[in-house]
Amino acid sequence: MAIDPSLVGRTYPSSDAYEVGIEKIREFADAIGDPNPVYRERQAARALGHPDVIAPPTFPIVMTFQASRRLIEDPELGIDYTRVVHGEQRFAHSRPVLAGDALTVTVTLESVRSVGGHDMLTSRSDVATVTGEHVVTAWSTLVVRGDG
Amino acid sequence: MVSLTVEDTAVGTALPAQAFSIRRADLVRYAGASGDFNVIHWNERVATSVGLPGVIAHGMFTMALAARVVTDWAGDPARVVEYGVRFTRPVPVPDDDTGATVEVTGVVAAVLENDRVRVDLTVSQAGAKVLGRAQAVVQL
């Protein structure tokens, strides 16, 4: 079922702020097997000029994946999640995510297009602090496989 | 800290290559840390029932591993200001002690404005590319 193009631009505002814990960053760094001390020790992060431990560049997926469920589960989009494949992912950072950040995620349906019987939809997740400082924007392109 | 010099960042400069092994236990750990518990990343029965060759790695996990080549080279991971990939081919992870091996190479592909360079990554498994248009922008 094709996604209604008139829904492009629909925005899903943030619910509660995501509070970034240092242990969550350490857990994520462990999970990707990266021993870099800048993801673990405040002293190492400060030596590079950061106010606190920083998160790896793809860490924002933790909160944008969660936030994008509001779009994926929007009944008006009618997405069958069992047919969804992750097609593309991109991040553009104003600064790294820091331990102690309280972040909001606003999700927007940026585009939909049909390619070879599949729907491709791109969502944009704007991640900012609760005081409005932009941190990172993530774009996810999901491919909803057609009945094929 | 490590500082990149003009010589380090000339177009055509190769970044130190790295290889990463992915085992089933790594996928379980990544699922927990990322919150992506899609069954195709841990359940063989379900993965094969939807036409996959078996349990496959999270695309985001492969993307995170590939970033290491850039963050290690850049010295400060915060210099990686943009990073994007296309997921072009799944990475099957067999249920054994060896798992799958992903090989990552990178090259400085372009010098951009504002003291930035673009790094193009080649990410492959068993000789086949698994990510397409894998590019990072590094702030010098």
Side-chain angles (χ1 to χ4, degrees):
Chain A
M1 188 185 71
I3 293 167
D4 181 355
S6 73
L7 297 174
V8 168
R10 179 170 284 201
T11 289
Y12 304 81
S14 188
S15 46
D16 291 341
Y18 181 96
E19 296 188 29
V20 181
I22 189 170
E23 294 298 349
K24 186 66 190 179
I25 293 176
R26 289 170 175 159
E27 179 192 5
F28 190 87
D30 284 346
I32 63 170
D34 193 330
N36 199 327
V38 75
Y39 302 141
R40 295 183 169 75
E41 298 157 24
R42 292 198 165 96
Q43 214 169 358
R46 285 178 185 145
L48 293 180
H50 302 298
D52 207 320
V53 157
I54 68 168
T58 65
F59 178 85
I61 198 70
V62 173
M63 62 201 85
T64 61
F65 179 76
Q66 193 178 29
S68 64
R69 284 172 195 221
R70 296 197 294 275
L71 178 151
I72 290 164
E73 293 167 3
D74 181 346
E76 285 192 63
L77 290 182
I79 296 170
D80 176 358
Y81 195 59
T82 65
R83 292 182 172 276
V84 169
V85 177
H86 199 176
E88 297 179 31
Q89 182 67 38
R90 190 158 74 85
F91 300 95
H93 288 263
S94 291
R95 67 157 173 82
V97 170
L98 293 164
D101 274 340
L103 301 173
T104 64
V105 186
T106 305
V107 180
T108 304
L109 179 62
E110 193 165 84
S111 69
V112 294
R113 62 188 198 276
S114 259
V115 179
H118 307 305
D119 280 331
M120 297 183 73
L121 65 95
T122 299
S123 69
R124 189 183 79 237
S125 296
D126 293 303
V127 180
T129 66
V130 289
T131 55
E133 178 196 4
H134 179 259
V135 175
V136 58
T137 294
W139 291 265
S140 297
T141 299
L142 303 178
V143 183
V144 188
R145 291 179 292 150
D147 296 329
Chain B
M1 68 172 283
V2 182
S3 289
L4 295 170
T5 66
V6 173
E7 293 74 32
D8 290 332
T9 58
V11 170
T13 303
L15 280 61
Q18 297 193 46
F20 304 94
S21 75
I22 306 177
R23 282 164 292 199
R24 289 284 177 92
D26 300 314
L27 302 185
V28 174
R29 187 175 291 117
Y30 184 78
S34 69
D36 182 351
F37 292 98
N38 191 330
V39 285
I40 61 172
H41 305 305
W42 53 270
N43 185 316
E44 187 90 16
R45 177 174 51 82
V46 173
T48 52
S49 79
V50 297
L52 293 167
V55 164
I56 61 167
H58 304 73
M60 287 305 305
F61 184 47
T62 306
M63 184 180 185
L65 294 177
R68 276 281 297 286
V69 164
V70 189
T71 55
D72 285 356
W73 175 74
D76 181 351
R79 290 174 186 258
V80 180
V81 291
E82 288 182 36
Y83 181 39
V85 307
R86 284 183 182 171
F87 303 103
T88 51
R89 193 183 180 90
V91 176
V93 178
D95 183 17
D96 60 25
D97 296 331
T98 313
T101 301
V102 169
E103 292 173 334
V104 185
T105 61
V107 64
V108 177
V111 174
L112 310 174
E113 289 179 349
N114 303 319
D115 295 322
R116 293 179 170 198
V117 295
R118 193 187 88 220
V119 170
D120 288 1
L121 296 170
T122 302
V123 184
S124 52
Q125 185 246 334
K129 276 193 192 182
V130 295
L131 299 181
R133 282 191 61 174
Q135 298 180 339
V137 174
V138 178
Q139 179 76 55
L140 303 178

